[in-house]
Amino acid sequence: MTTSPDPAFAGRTYPAGPVHTVSAAKIVEFARATGAPSLLHTDPEAARAAGHADVVAPPTFLVSLAQATEAQYVEDPAAGIDFSRVVHGEESFTLHRPVVAGDRLVPTLTVESVRAAGGHAMVTTRVDLADEDGAEVAAVRSMLVVRGD
């Protein structure tokens, strides 16, 4: 396998992934593991009192769904990525509305850019998350560094 990602993948959008149902238990587990202090993340009563249907996910909760979706690209043999050479560069989140337990999200992956920098490749991906009706919920942008030889 080559260690140089194919720049022709820039701009490619993969087919939408399967529906992912957000679990209250996973939100609570993530909030506790990351030290998110708000009761909105762990207490359904507090979340309902604030106007939400159930517990609210911290924004960074979406990273696991985004990374699972990015696997379409990273594991695509034609993309030219040796995962053993991948280092996570940065991550950003855009929320169009809060993510709550019970949400059913559909992820769609776009490879935004692939560029060379200092002997390495810098790959930027975006995972758009929509509800089943197609309304935007969030976007997760990741930058991966694929170390050169």
Side-chain angles (χ1 to χ4, degrees), residues 5 9-12 70 73 81 90-92 109-115 121-127 140-146:
F9 275 68
R12 179 175 293 192
E70 289 168 348
Y73 168 63
I81 294 183
E90 58 186 59
E91 197 95 34
S92 66
L109 169 67
T110 299
V111 179
E112 289 191 329
S113 66
V114 179
R115 66 180 178 85
M122 311 296 265
V123 178
T124 302
T125 63
R126 186 186 72 246
V127 175
V140 180
R141 184 170 276 110
S142 300
M143 195 267 291
L144 306 173
V145 179
V146 183

